[in-house]
Amino acid sequence: MKTLFPIVGQRAILEMLHQIAENDRYANAYLFHGPRGTGKEAVAIEFAAIMNCQSEDERPCGTCKGCKQMRHLQHPNLTQIFALPGGSGDRDPLKGLSESVIEDIQEAVLNKSENPYQKIRIQRAQNIKISSIRQMQKNIHMGLAESGRKIVLIFEAERMSTEAFNSILKIVEEPPPHTSFIFCTGAIHLIPETIQSRCQMAPFRLLTTEEIINGLDDYASLESGEKVKRIARMANGDFGFALALADRNLEELEAQIVKFLQAIMGGKPLAIKEQVDYLRSLTSESGLTLYRFLQLIQLWMRDAHLWSETENLNQLVFQQMIDKIKKFVEHYEYMDYDSAQILLENAVDFIERNVYIRLALYSLQVQLHQAIHGKLQEKIYGHRHRYNPNSIR
Ligand SMILES: [Zn+2]
């Protein structure tokens, strides 16, 4: 299958999109959803290229004018919407932004055109602005600039406010001719039902270790070897994370995981405060987000659990840390692994909703401390996750 950029995995979705294009039966809107770093945005750009390629043969051909413009994310039929910092424009999202912010935006878009797995991240940009939606609504009614279809890509759609969702609803329901919307999100539970019900769904799945290894070859020029395998296991299906890990010192990261666990095991307030400060300092610009760090902790705990039950080294993510894992398992024989996993999931959930992050991190550490020492009380569990209290030891 020919693609504009190398696409990591997701063959089933690509085939579905080719089928849609072949039959020329497009939906008004698509919702690309699934775990982070699985290529929703890259595949959305690919779909836009398929729809706007001028070749009579296999699409996207990669050489026609449409493909070239799409590769640079400069096709006149393409509108991209993403989170931006606050400005002063009511209908112009860039109005009131400083020159350096505008430069940052241009650079982020340029980076994405070089690697569609790169996220567009602008400092202090939390939300998709209502002015971005208004501007799109104004421009989208202008005629089709080229043949093909007009595509509105909404990256990280969960960053839209209720007001923004409401204002886009009508145009999604009745778009101008030859127009489709693609909402991309890693947090479908934050997308209102009114939007979901108007979209054709495209569920993305976690990538396999093998797919990530191939992707690292394409995008990070890393050939298969021990380090690449290690990165692919730690990324746990999230290619965006694999790319971030490729630029990192893995030993430092592992040392950080150990520090975090030691602070929790010891339960000393000062050490815990230090860890909370560290976690709060993680930002998306460095690729290592709070979410991803907590995911590494989850993987580490899962390793310890697996080791305690199977002693099978090959199943572990952190194979190179086996000495530490062994020690942990031997020392904490009453460790409540199931609860620890739920606590970590709940913390991620809280953080995603942006509520009291510091408080969520403190309570995570206190409760993890109890879980590690096998002293967790049943009453602390949240409601979101099914849990059978009978399994508490
Ligand atoms: Zn083409």
Side-chain angles (χ1 to χ4, degrees):
M1 200 184 293
K2 233 177 177 173
T3 55
L4 193 62
F5 295 95
I7 297 290
V8 186
Q10 309 301 359
R11 292 293 119 175
I13 291 201
L14 277 177
E15 272 165 32
M16 178 183 95
L17 300 177
H18 274 281
Q19 201 62 52
I20 289 169
E22 205 141 295
N23 299 339
D24 203 22
R25 291 177 64 96
Y26 296 102
N28 292 352
Y30 297 88
L31 182 53
F32 286 14
H33 66 94
R36 290 171 175 77
T38 51
K40 298 175 289 291
E41 298 179 1
V43 173
I45 294 167
E46 179 69 24
F47 191 31
I50 296 171
M51 290 187 265
N52 282 287
C53 172
Q54 293 149 354
S55 164
E56 296 295 322
D57 263 358
E58 210 184 344
R59 293 182 289 167
C61 68
T63 50
C64 72
K65 188 176 161 211
C67 284
K68 281 183 184 155
Q69 288 177 322
M70 201 58 84
R71 187 190 290 274
H72 294 108
L73 300 180
Q74 281 169 353
H75 199 292
N77 287 346
L78 179 72
T79 304
Q80 305 169 82
I81 295 179
F82 44 84
L84 288 172
S88 57
D90 196 28
R91 284 169 195 280
D92 177 2
L94 299 184
K95 197 175 161 196
L97 297 182
S98 71
E99 220 161 278
S100 78
V101 172
I102 306 257
E103 274 169 23
D104 283 352
I105 297 168
Q106 286 164 342
E107 198 188 318
V109 173
L110 185 68
N111 286 341
K112 192 162 191 74
S113 73
E114 280 159 10
N115 176 353
Y117 288 86
Q118 208 80 52
K119 286 271 180 200
I120 295 184
R121 299 264 191 226
I122 319 293
Q123 270 200 351
R124 286 187 298 281
Q126 295 293 332
N127 300 310
I128 291 176
K129 289 156 69 174
I130 188 98
S131 52
S132 298
I133 307 289
R134 288 193 187 124
Q135 189 184 48
M136 175 274 292
Q137 278 168 327
K138 194 178 112 215
N139 294 342
I140 201 81
H141 286 288
M142 293 181 209
L144 204 58
E146 305 268 342
S147 58
R149 285 182 74 77
K150 277 186 279 187
I151 306 299
V152 180
L153 294 184
I154 300 142
F155 298 142
E156 299 184 286
E158 73 278 7
R159 290 168 180 261
M160 286 170 78
S161 64
T162 309
E163 190 193 9
F165 275 124
N166 286 338
S167 79
I168 208 173
L169 205 55
K170 195 160 174 295
I171 198 159
V172 167
E173 202 159 41
E174 289 172 48
H178 311 292
T179 303
S180 289
F181 291 80
I182 305 177
F183 293 88
C184 298
T185 184
I188 193 172
H189 57 287
L190 300 178
I191 307 295
E193 181 53 37
T194 46
I195 296 283
Q196 290 193 32
S197 62
R198 284 164 175 80
C199 291
Q200 185 174 336
M201 297 284 180
F204 283 63
R205 55 170 186 75
L206 283 174
L207 299 164
T208 64
T209 305
E210 200 54 44
E211 286 166 347
I212 288 188
I213 289 173
N214 291 335
L216 284 170
D217 189 13
D218 286 328
Y219 284 102
S221 309
L222 284 180
E223 281 177 32
S224 190
E226 204 35 58
K227 184 182 175 192
V228 170
K229 283 186 197 153
R230 223 161 115 195
I231 290 172
R233 290 196 303 261
M234 284 163 82
N236 196 35
D238 172 348
F239 184 61
F241 192 18
L243 283 177
L245 287 170
D247 290 336
R248 274 191 170 263
N249 180 330
L250 297 185
E251 284 73 24
E252 262 174 32
L253 189 56
E254 284 164 8
Q256 195 58 54
I257 293 172
V258 171
K259 257 195 210 161
F260 178 89
L261 290 168
Q262 278 170 343
I264 285 169
M265 293 183 295
K268 298 253 182 347
L270 194 64
I272 287 191
K273 185 185 172 298
E274 255 175 42
Q275 285 305 305
V276 170
D277 290 344
Y278 167 72
L279 292 174
R280 289 285 284 138
S281 75
L282 298 176
T283 58
S284 49
E285 286 95 69
S286 66
L288 180 68
T289 56
L290 180 49
Y291 167 85
R292 281 168 171 164
F293 187 79
L294 291 180
Q295 205 173 33
L296 289 178
I297 301 292
Q298 266 181 302
L299 288 175
W300 203 94
M301 291 283 188
R302 193 181 69 184
D303 273 4
H305 195 187
L306 274 172
W307 181 259
S308 74
E309 292 192 340
T310 65
E311 300 205 356
N312 180 352
L313 185 66
N314 288 329
Q315 286 185 326
L316 305 189
V317 169
F318 295 99
Q319 293 172 14
Q320 65 288 355
M321 294 174 87
I322 184 61
D323 290 345
K324 293 216 159 53
I325 291 173
K326 266 187 195 166
K327 254 193 205 154
F328 181 89
V329 169
E330 279 162 23
H331 198 270
Y332 296 103
E333 53 174 325
Y334 297 112
M335 164 79 191
D336 183 351
Y337 289 105
D338 294 337
S339 304
Q341 292 296 355
I342 292 168
L343 291 171
L344 284 157
E345 271 169 39
N346 282 349
V348 166
D349 190 52
F350 267 124
I351 288 156
E352 229 171 37
R353 288 160 197 266
N354 252 321
V355 273
Y356 310 124
I357 293 181
R358 193 167 276 277
L359 187 67
L361 290 174
Y362 270 113
S363 102
L364 168 71
Q365 302 208 26
V366 170
Q367 292 171 0
L368 265 184
H369 177 79
Q370 292 172 325
I372 286 174
H373 292 271
K375 290 179 196 153
L376 200 64
Q377 301 292 314
E378 159 188 349
K379 63 177 185 336
I380 57 99
Y381 294 111
H383 300 291
R384 272 179 52 78
H385 297 283
R386 320 146 306 286
Y387 184 72
N388 176 10
N390 295 330
S391 69
I392 290 186
R393 270 170 268 186

